[in-house]
Amino acid sequence: MIPYSLLDLSPIPEGADAAQALRNSIDLARHAEAEGFARVWYAEHHNMPGLACTATPVLIGQVAAATSRIKVGSGGIMLPNHAPLVVAEQFGTLARLFPGRIELGLGRAPGTDMATARALRRHLSQEASDGFPKEVMELMGYFAPEAAEAPVKAVPAAGADVPVWILGSSLYGAQLAAHLGLPYAFASHFAPAALEQAAHVYRELFQPSERLAAPRFMMAVNVFGAETDEEGFRLATSQAQSFANLRRGEPGPLPRPVEDLGAVLSPQERAMAGEAMSIAAAGSPASMRARLAELIEAYGPDELIFAASIHDHGARRRSLRIAAEAMAALGAAGAPGVAAAE
């Protein structure tokens, strides 16, 4: 069975607040650990009224302290928003507090709108964008054992065991991860168009490194598991509405699910949301197993990471349990494309 993990954006449900969303994230991480998830990641976003994951390293530390085994990391830190030295200090500190459990996924986008990017002191020039590979190399250099002797030290990062992943939704990240010999995670939960090509490019161009001997490709899947297909599809309407609201320029809390999506979204909005959410598994346990087996066979990932933007926290927990049970069943059945876990 391939490993399965959790991507949690710490959504703020309509009718709740950020404090509740953060409590939900800690509870969900404990639940994921009990269900056999390999890792839980949090993504850096800014100026998004519906997401509470802005201070990603702080949330990672709280979740790591509340759990005991599961790996905790970023999916990801938007590196151009930060000095590599500061990121190395933060994650080096986390790695010393929670040895062997902290991971660092890196993204190239600002994770926000341009006005907020400027408020983050982000350099918006083309030169700054093209400097992402250099910044990744600088950041990884701070974790090297010999960095303890360098003129500028990211105390206590030198020698810390912090796996670094490259994240992306296009061929750029796939090429960079392959060139650097790093694991690669594709954001197919919201940008699936280049999924197949990115996986192919990454594997074809991969160069072994000290950090990774062979390609390791992870793809994101939206999951909306429930007792029935109808309920699973109803749960997914919250995410569809959220995508539409974002496209309208009206981001907000995660909407409550609706019985009829056509009553709240236009045909064009429904088509857009359907395309963005096409890499998804929804419905009953049997439907979840069938769909996950289909995705694994089609794309051959080394790992899946589940995104579950579900309004009700209890339903979200149940959805992840159903996804975990589906993965266990696929492993027992030897589903096509399923390899042994590490």
Side-chain angles (χ1 to χ4, degrees):
M1 180 176 65
I2 66 174
Y4 53 94
S5 297
L6 168 64
L7 175 63
D8 181 9
L9 303 185
S10 197
I12 302 173
E14 196 173 85
D17 57 17
Q20 185 60 57
L22 293 168
R23 288 193 293 270
N24 289 347
S25 286
I26 292 173
D27 179 71
L28 199 67
R30 292 184 178 126
H31 177 69
E33 182 170 73
E35 294 291 348
F37 282 66
R39 52 181 53 84
V40 54
W41 282 0
Y42 302 93
E44 177 187 351
H45 290 278
H46 300 280
N47 196 29
M48 297 288 286
L51 303 177
C53 53
T54 52
T56 313
V58 177
L59 181 55
I60 289 170
Q62 290 295 310
V63 169
T67 54
S68 59
R69 174 198 57 80
I70 195 168
K71 294 182 179 181
V72 190
S74 62
I77 291 294
M78 301 298 105
L79 186 54
N81 292 343
H82 313 281
L85 174 64
V86 174
V87 177
E89 290 172 341
Q90 292 170 340
F91 280 79
T93 300
L94 289 166
R96 299 305 183 186
L97 290 170
F98 309 101
R101 296 183 57 208
I102 301 300
E103 299 180 319
L104 176 56
L106 298 172
R108 175 173 171 249
T112 187
D113 58 89
M114 289 298 101
T116 307
R118 293 186 183 93
L120 288 164
R121 310 296 198 268
R122 183 177 188 265
H123 299 294
L124 300 178
S125 67
Q126 183 64 39
E127 180 181 353
S129 177
D130 293 342
F132 180 64
K134 181 179 178 181
E135 291 189 332
V136 173
M137 294 295 293
E138 178 186 346
L139 174 53
M140 290 195 300
Y142 289 124
F143 291 116
E146 59 270 22
E149 306 303 322
V152 177
K153 305 173 183 63
V155 180
D161 177 20
V162 180
V164 175
W165 291 68
I166 298 296
L167 315 181
S169 58
S170 68
L171 300 186
Y172 180 94
Q175 293 168 336
L176 179 61
H179 176 72
L180 297 179
L182 295 175
Y184 179 56
F186 190 84
S188 37
H189 62 301
F190 73 87
L195 170 59
E196 186 172 2
Q197 190 177 6
H200 174 75
V201 166
Y202 171 64
R203 290 170 175 140
E204 284 291 308
L205 299 181
F206 183 83
Q207 300 177 26
S209 68
E210 292 183 0
R211 284 180 171 264
L212 192 64
R216 183 161 188 81
F217 178 71
M218 178 161 63
M219 61 179 281
V221 180
N222 292 295
V223 292
F224 307 98
E227 294 306 312
T228 65
D229 286 350
E230 292 76 15
E231 178 60 13
F233 299 148
R234 190 183 76 87
L235 294 177
T237 63
S238 292
Q239 182 63 43
Q241 293 175 81
S242 184
F243 274 134
N245 290 340
L246 187 61
R247 181 65 63 89
R248 295 170 185 156
E250 301 172 355
L254 184 66
R256 292 179 172 84
V258 294
E259 300 297 332
D260 179 12
L261 197 57
V264 293
L265 300 186
S266 70
Q268 294 80 7
E269 289 172 332
R270 292 176 65 187
M272 176 276 298
E275 181 178 349
M277 296 170 63
S278 61
I279 302 299
S284 68
S287 295
M288 291 281 288
R289 287 194 300 273
R291 177 58 173 159
L292 290 173
E294 180 182 287
L295 290 171
I296 291 168
E297 183 174 15
Y299 300 104
D302 300 296
E303 183 166 348
L304 297 180
I305 187 163
F306 296 136
S309 291
I310 294 173
H311 182 273
D312 179 73
H313 182 60
R316 198 169 178 224
R317 284 171 52 104
R318 288 191 295 276
S319 178
L320 292 179
R321 186 192 71 241
I322 291 169
E325 290 171 349
M327 292 298 289
L330 291 175
V338 178
E342 290 186 329

